[in-house]
Amino acid sequence: MTKGLNGLKGHRITVEPSDRHVRVVRGEQLLAESDRALVLRETGCPERYYIPADDVRLDLLTPSGTHTHCPFKGDASYWSLPDAADLVWAYPDPKPEVARIKDHLCFYDVEVS
């Protein structure tokens, strides 16, 4: 029997450096751009790109009151734009198995090349 992250059979999460150029654009506004993103692959979920905070236009984002809990990654905090609630999230204190995503933010929609 194989165990995934946190001992749940069949559940896996991997985090590794992406070899893709990642951009986040909303309307005409560039929100993030990075060649240093991490790609997180999780059973049953789409690939997610976690972008270093230094490569994100944090000055354009406003913290929201939304917080969620993932049993595999930890507690997430969210940020919004005036016209897009909870557009981006991060795990300020991720679980040890995914510690690499600390200080990285994730957007729902990204462009990769």
Side-chain angles (χ1 to χ4, degrees), residues 40-105:
L40 184 143
R41 294 179 181 92
E42 180 173 4
T43 302
C45 298
E47 283 185 349
R48 294 290 183 199
Y49 291 88
Y50 282 77
I51 302 169
D54 289 345
D55 296 344
V56 176
R57 291 284 313 272
L58 296 173
D59 59 307
L60 301 175
L61 301 169
T62 304
S64 87
T66 303
H67 298 279
T68 59
H69 176 76
C70 171
F72 308 108
K73 295 184 288 288
D75 295 320
S77 298
Y78 290 76
W79 288 263
S80 301
L81 289 173
D83 64 342
D86 300 336
L87 177 72
V88 60
W89 68 92
Y91 292 89
D93 189 24
K95 296 204 174 222
E97 296 89 345
V98 293
R100 293 175 75 177
I101 65 172
K102 183 174 178 64
D103 300 323
H104 288 65
L105 291 92

